[in-house]
Amino acid sequence: FPEMLSNPKLVLVQGTLNVVMKQNVTLSCLSQPGSPPVRYTLFKHNQQVSALNRSDLTPALFTLTISSASDVGEYKCKAEYNNSSGGKYSNSLSFTLIEPISKPVLSSPTSQAKEGQNVTLSCFSENGSLPITYQFFKGKQNISPQKTMQKREAAVIFLFIDSPSDFGTYKCKANNSFPNNTKYSNGFNFTLAEERSHSQPLIISLGLILLLLILGFALAIPFFIIPLYKASE
């Protein structure tokens, strides 16, 4: 009599559970103990994908190509003897489709600042699988802890412009679970806001008064000065 089958074990032997388009993955299904021959069937959401017979104690290997979003999800395998009812099911493995992130954009509501001012920087990648992790730099120095965003929104930090050295070049980087996909933003620089001179409003006011005097004198010539001149002749 054949030995009673145990629940088979489904193992990922090639690839990762976080998959990208066109990626190949290989699953191994094996029931131990068990007496061959054994028929192994792979299912995705209870729909049969493939079946293999094994006449020895080697595992059944199923190679899949992730070619569309419908290829991700939960997989199980079933082990059974031929011409027998029932069978045993394995644990499940679930694949998740991931997408690479786009180059993040570093921005601020203001590009000009002065010493003693608070400013903000935001970093945002428009595309890519969530969650996305952001980090901010000034030059090559890290200036913030990692910020992991679970939603499609920008990571924001607050800075205090304390000295001229704070007007350097800032950057941010973003990455997600897509392999080897760290992206860096453009560089961003704050420029020093020009301090308005206290005498500038006074100069503008004096200029306006002088202009009004000139206009008033020009308007007075035809109405007052010319008639007075003619009357005195």
Side-chain angles (χ1 to χ4, degrees), residues 70-71 74 91 99 104 133 147 159 178 181 203 222:
S70 63
D71 293 327
E74 184 180 86
N91 57 296
E99 297 177 322
T133 299
K147 292 179 176 288
L159 302 173
F178 194 96
N181 187 49
I203 295 173

Side-chain angles (χ1 to χ4, degrees), residues 121-165:
L121 281 174
S122 63
C123 185
F124 180 66
S125 286
E126 186 173 356
N127 299 310
S129 301
L130 297 171
I132 298 177
T133 299
Y134 297 95
Q135 202 160 16
F136 294 81
F137 298 86
K138 179 180 175 294
K140 295 183 179 181
Q141 182 181 0
N142 174 24
I143 59 171
S144 75
Q146 290 186 346
K147 292 179 176 288
T148 300
M149 311 304 292
Q150 303 291 340
K151 297 180 180 180
R152 186 75 60 188
E153 57 188 16
V156 178
I157 63 169
F158 300 90
L159 302 173
F160 180 70
I161 304 298
D162 189 40
S163 66
S165 63

Side-chain angles (χ1 to χ4, degrees), residues 25-55:
V25 294
T26 301
L27 299 173
S28 166
C29 186
L30 179 63
S31 178
Q32 288 182 320
S35 300
V38 178
R39 179 176 178 83
Y40 294 98
T41 307
L42 183 68
F43 293 89
K44 178 184 175 294
H45 295 310
N46 299 321
Q47 182 177 359
Q48 181 175 328
V49 176
S50 182
L52 293 171
N53 292 315
R54 280 291 176 264
S55 58

Side-chain angles (χ1 to χ4, degrees), residues 209-228:
I209 293 172
L210 180 60
L211 179 62
L212 290 173
L213 289 174
I214 294 172
L215 288 174
F217 182 74
L219 291 173
I221 291 175
F223 294 101
F224 298 101
I225 298 176
I226 292 177
L228 288 174

